[in-house]
Amino acid sequence: AGLFFHYAVPTRKLAAEFGERFRDKGVNVRVAYGREAPDPDSPGDAMCVEPDKVKLAVENKIDVTKACCKAGNVLCPSFDVCGYQKQWRDTEGLDGWIFAADFVFHRQDAMGTADVVIFDEGFWQKQLRGIDPRERISLGLSFAGKKLGDVLDRQPKDGPLQLSFAI
């Protein structure tokens, strides 16, 4: 058995293309999609079939999974038909996950812990911005003498960087 991997690419379209390529080579991968993404198994539907609930949880900075999907033994009425939830099932024997790089800014316990994480192109630009939304901040994988992982570990919650650093 090889190493279990996570492969982050710039877009979900590219993730789907890479998923096909890996499967064509006999690698057992799954492409992970966010709640708002189109459901590849149900054309015309989004992955999550209860987007209004999710939007409310996000706006109130509440854990979406706990607030909308599963809290203890209480499940969303759409849990069994939800494409977002279905993608996390039956993952035994999976070699890895492929996903749009946005996923790295959100907790995804269902994907398991990877032995190897591969980033196709830069990922931090998706979250680091200046005051002007068109402005992007360019950072290497270390700043102020700190490793990126150490800095990210200090973040109080998932999502955009919230701590500021003198660069």
Side-chain angles (χ1 to χ4, degrees):
L3 297 174
F4 182 70
F5 66 89
H6 289 173
Y7 198 118
V9 297
T11 65
R12 69 174 162 243
K13 180 180 179 195
L14 194 56
E17 290 174 14
F18 273 45
E20 295 274 329
R21 289 181 193 175
F22 274 85
R23 286 187 290 273
D24 287 348
K25 299 287 184 189
V27 181
N28 185 11
V29 298
R30 184 151 318 155
V31 176
Y33 296 96
R35 288 180 174 89
E36 295 177 2
D39 187 339
D41 296 328
S42 183
D45 292 329
M47 291 294 286
C48 174
V49 295
E50 301 280 349
D52 294 338
K53 292 178 184 178
V54 170
K55 182 180 179 188
L56 187 61
V58 169
E59 287 173 354
N60 288 286
K61 298 179 178 30
I62 299 171
D63 181 309
V64 174
T65 299
K66 291 178 183 171
C68 303
C69 306
K70 182 178 182 181
N73 293 329
V74 179
L75 298 177
C76 170
S78 302
F79 191 86
D80 291 331
V81 297
C82 177
Y84 184 79
Q85 294 301 326
K86 283 182 184 180
Q87 72 184 338
W88 309 121
R89 298 179 193 141
D90 304 321
T91 59
E92 188 70 32
L94 201 61
D95 295 315
W97 286 94
I98 302 173
F99 48 87
D102 301 62
F103 263 64
V104 301
F105 297 104
H106 304 281
R107 188 175 183 136
Q108 298 295 341
D109 293 338
M111 289 178 18
T113 302
D115 297 308
V116 176
V117 179
I118 303 153
F119 290 96
D120 183 345
E121 299 182 23
F123 66 95
W124 53 88
Q125 295 95 332
K126 292 194 176 256
Q127 291 294 321
L128 298 175
R129 295 178 181 86
I131 295 171
D132 182 339
R134 295 169 296 180
E135 178 184 346
R136 296 287 183 165
I137 298 171
S138 177
L139 295 177
L141 285 179
S142 66
F143 38 70
K146 297 177 177 77
K147 292 182 181 176
L148 180 61
D150 295 336
V151 172
L152 294 175
D153 282 343
R154 293 180 42 211
Q155 294 303 305
K157 60 184 177 180
D158 291 344
L161 291 176
Q162 296 160 19
L163 302 176
S164 62
F165 300 92
I167 299 177

